[in-house]
Amino acid sequence: MTRDAANERLDRLTKREREVFELVVLGETNKTIGRELEISPRTVDVHRKKLREKLGADRLADLIRLKQASG
C-alpha cells in the first residue's frame, strides 16, 4: 500500500477515531485508552469497531501495517 492510499483511508476517520487508532497501534488496552481520552472502555470498543470497519481492517496487525504505510 502506498503512503497516499494509506492516508486517504485514515482521512475517513473522525478525530476521536483517529485518537483511538493512534493508541491502539501502540498496543494500549481499551481501559488505558479510555483513561487517557476520558471515555469509558466500552466507548473505546465502539470506536475501535467503527475504525476497523472504515479502514477494512480485520486484525490489529492490519491497523499497524496501515499506520506504517502512512508514514
Side-chain angles (χ1 to χ4, degrees):
M1 174 178 302
T2 67
R3 176 180 273 178
D4 289 338
N7 285 320
E8 282 180 29
R9 288 171 119 185
L10 291 173
D11 286 343
R12 298 176 192 164
L13 302 178
T14 65
K15 180 182 177 206
R16 181 61 89 187
E17 289 167 346
R18 185 62 185 254
E19 292 171 336
V20 171
F21 170 81
E22 295 295 335
L23 294 169
V24 166
V25 298
L26 292 175
E28 300 294 343
T29 65
N30 285 2
K31 191 173 183 178
T32 303
I33 294 169
R35 270 195 226 119
E36 184 160 332
L37 300 179
E38 297 181 353
I39 57 179
S40 76
R42 176 67 184 124
T43 302
V44 173
D45 192 47
V46 170
H47 286 305
R48 286 176 77 139
K49 182 179 183 224
K50 286 182 181 179
L51 71 87
R52 282 193 316 269
E53 289 171 358
K54 287 182 178 182
L55 299 175
D58 295 327
R59 303 171 307 212
L60 176 60
D62 297 331
L63 296 176
I64 293 169
R65 277 192 223 94
L66 184 61
K67 173 67 176 169
Q68 289 174 335
S70 72

